[in-house]
Amino acid sequence: MKRLFVLLAICASAFAQESQPRVVEVKNLDINQLGGFLGTFRVKYSSVPGSRFIALQGNSENVKAAEEALKRIDNPRRDIEFTFQILSAGAQPASEKLPADLEPVVKQLKGAFVYQAYHLIETMLVKTSEGSEGRADGILPRSQEGFPAFFQVSFQSASLTSEPKASVVHLQNLNINGKFPYVANSKGEIAYSNAGIRTDVDVKEGQKVVVGKANMDGKDGAIFMIVTARIVD
C-alpha cells in the first residue's frame, strides 16, 4: 500500500508540472520544420494552418526553455547575393585583359599553378535567403570552337555567421558543372569536355575566394571558380 501511495504522489507531481498550452508567435521560422527542434526540449506543439502561432505543451520548465530558445533563433532571414566568376586556364601565356577586380586573384593563381593564360568565361549571379538553397544556369552561345558551353552552379544551403569585422557565409555542398566544346580530331569533330567542383566553403563578405580547380576532360587546361558574397540589407 505504501508503494502505491508513493507512485500516486509521483504521478500527481508530474501532472502538476504539466503546463497549460502556451501560445507562441513564430514570425520567421518554418512552422512545419519545428518538430525536431522542439522535440529536444521534450515539448509537443500544434498549429493552425495559415497562422503564425503554435501551442506548446509539456512540462512547464521545458515549455519555458523551448519558448526562450525559439525567441533567440526566430530572426528575420537576411538575403544574400553571390557572384560566381568562372575562369578557364591554359599553360601558354596570353595577353587577354581581365576585369581589374580579378587581377590580384589571377596573379596569385599564376604563382601557384603552371597555367599562365586566364580567360573569364562566365559570371553568374545567385540571389537567395539565409538557410535556403540556390542555383543558376549559364550558357555561352558560341565558344572558341563555335559551339555553346554550358554551366550550372548550385548549393544546398547558405548560412550566416556574424564576426566582428565581417559576416561569413557558409555554403554547403557547393557544386559547379561545366561542359566545354573542343575539336576532338583532325576531321574537326566536336566533343564536350566535362569539369566539375564540389565542396563546402566559407566566404567572408566582400572577399573573393577561389573555391577550387577542376581539370577538363580531353583538354590541357582547367577551370577555377571564384565566389564573392554580399549581404543585402
Side-chain angles (χ1 to χ4, degrees):
M1 182 64 70
K2 184 176 181 181
R3 291 181 179 178
L4 177 59
F5 283 128
V6 171
L7 179 59
L8 290 174
I10 293 174
C11 292
S13 175
F15 180 79
Q17 291 177 357
E18 286 287 325
S19 68
Q20 293 295 319
R22 178 74 173 175
V23 178
V24 177
E25 183 180 10
V26 180
K27 297 179 179 179
N28 302 287
L29 298 173
D30 185 345
I31 291 176
N32 296 321
Q33 301 297 322
L34 292 177
F37 174 75
L38 293 174
T40 61
F41 294 89
R42 298 183 180 180
V43 168
K44 297 179 180 180
Y45 82 102
S46 57
S47 62
V48 178
S51 78
R52 299 299 302 174
F53 294 90
I54 62 173
L56 303 179
Q57 182 71 52
N59 178 285
S60 58
E61 292 184 359
N62 292 348
V63 168
K64 182 179 179 181
E67 182 180 3
E68 292 177 352
L70 278 174
K71 290 179 180 178
R72 289 198 298 271
I73 66 172
D74 188 25
N75 299 311
R77 296 195 300 175
R78 290 177 288 178
D79 293 330
I80 312 169
E81 182 180 270
F82 296 97
T83 301
F84 295 96
Q85 294 169 294
I86 304 173
L87 297 175
S88 64
Q92 298 301 319
S95 59
E96 180 176 344
K97 185 68 174 178
L98 290 168
D101 63 317
L102 284 177
E103 290 180 358
V105 178
V106 169
K107 183 177 180 180
Q108 293 181 10
L109 291 174
K110 287 181 177 179
F113 298 94
V114 298
Y115 308 110
Q116 296 301 306
Y118 291 86
H119 171 60
L120 177 62
I121 55 178
E122 182 66 296
T123 297
M124 307 175 75
L125 297 178
V126 179
K127 293 183 179 179
T128 189
S129 57
E130 186 177 0
S132 299
E133 62 183 4
R135 172 175 168 170
D137 296 283
I139 180 172
L140 291 179
R142 282 189 172 275
S143 67
Q144 293 179 353
E145 284 75 18
F147 289 81
F150 304 93
F151 307 90
Q152 183 185 94
V153 171
S154 64
F155 50 85
Q156 186 174 334
S157 67
S159 56
L160 279 172
T161 302
S162 296
E163 294 191 355
K165 294 185 178 180
S167 296
V168 175
V169 183
H170 177 72
L171 287 175
Q172 182 179 356
N173 196 21
L174 174 61
N175 184 36
I176 176 174
N177 287 310
K179 293 182 179 295
F180 306 91
Y182 69 97
V183 179
N185 51 44
S186 59
K187 296 180 180 180
E189 295 177 341
I190 297 297
Y192 273 85
S193 171
N194 297 311
I197 298 171
R198 184 186 295 271
T199 185
D200 293 346
V201 63
D202 290 327
V203 183
K204 184 174 290 187
E205 183 180 13
Q207 288 189 346
K208 289 187 178 297
V209 176
V210 179
V211 174
K213 163 185 170 289
N215 294 321
M216 293 186 285
D217 300 336
K219 297 187 70 175
D220 294 329
I223 65 168
F224 292 87
M225 183 168 65
I226 301 167
V227 58
T228 309
R230 183 175 72 91
I231 312 303
V232 181
D233 295 329

